Amino acid sequence: MTETTNTFFIPLDQTQVSLVTAVLHRAARECRAVDMPGIPTNDRSVVTLGRMAARWAAISEREEHCEVVNVHGERLYSVSLTLEEWYQARAALSEYAARLTRAADNPPSPRENRRQATQALLLVDRITEVITSG
């Protein structure tokens, strides 16, 4: 969990990577995210939900944009994002947790909603800890 040139590395397990990927895809879909015309896709100075969702899909599906290590049989993904990218991921996770909390007493699965909201908030706390201590 280090910072180099405004980039923060946070190790995540497969469940956390999948959670961030799903949350960002949902956020991008719900806001009808579109890409910025005329700006190269590898230009990380422009942060959009669409680009974030695509980047996390590549991390999750093809293990791109990250380093993967095997620790005691568990795959850990060292994800490197800029401060703005982590802010966007954190905001999407917070909104997702709030939505699940509001729906926690509604069927079909209130216990599962609370469990997923808790996972999202724990990851929000972890991201916050890393970016504020860096």
Side-chain angles (χ1 to χ4, degrees), residues 1-10 44 55 65 78-86 130-131 134:
M1 291 181 277
T2 61
E3 176 193 0
T4 48
T5 59
N6 298 325
T7 302
F8 293 80
F9 295 90
I10 300 177
R44 292 185 58 195
R55 184 173 193 82
H65 313 297
S78 182
V79 178
S80 169
L81 297 178
T82 65
L83 187 60
E84 180 63 26
E85 290 168 325
W86 280 120
V130 170
I131 62 179

Side-chain angles (χ1 to χ4, degrees), residues 100-101 103-118:
L100 287 174
T101 301
D105 294 329
N106 295 333
S109 179
R111 180 174 291 152
E112 181 62 19
N113 284 352
R114 283 191 292 275
R115 187 188 68 73
Q116 287 181 6
T118 299

Side-chain angles (χ1 to χ4, degrees), residues 38-99:
I39 299 176
T41 56
N42 63 349
D43 182 352
R44 292 185 58 195
S45 67
V46 177
V47 179
T48 66
L49 283 174
R51 285 182 180 208
M52 290 286 296
R55 184 173 193 82
W56 279 88
I59 291 168
S60 179
E61 297 167 7
R62 298 181 301 279
E63 298 180 350
E64 295 176 358
H65 313 297
C66 66
E67 293 179 31
V68 181
V69 295
N70 193 348
V71 178
H72 304 294
E74 181 179 4
R75 296 177 70 70
L76 293 177
Y77 297 72
S78 182
V79 178
S80 169
L81 297 178
T82 65
L83 187 60
E84 180 63 26
E85 290 168 325
W86 280 120
Y87 280 144
Q88 293 295 326
R90 187 177 70 170
L93 286 162
S94 294
E95 191 279 331
Y96 175 73
R99 181 181 299 195

Side-chain angles (χ1 to χ4, degrees), residues 21-31 53 95-96 99-100:
T21 302
V23 166
L24 287 170
H25 273 277
R26 181 181 190 158
R29 185 177 57 251
E30 287 177 355
C31 79
E95 191 279 331
Y96 175 73
R99 181 181 299 195
L100 287 174

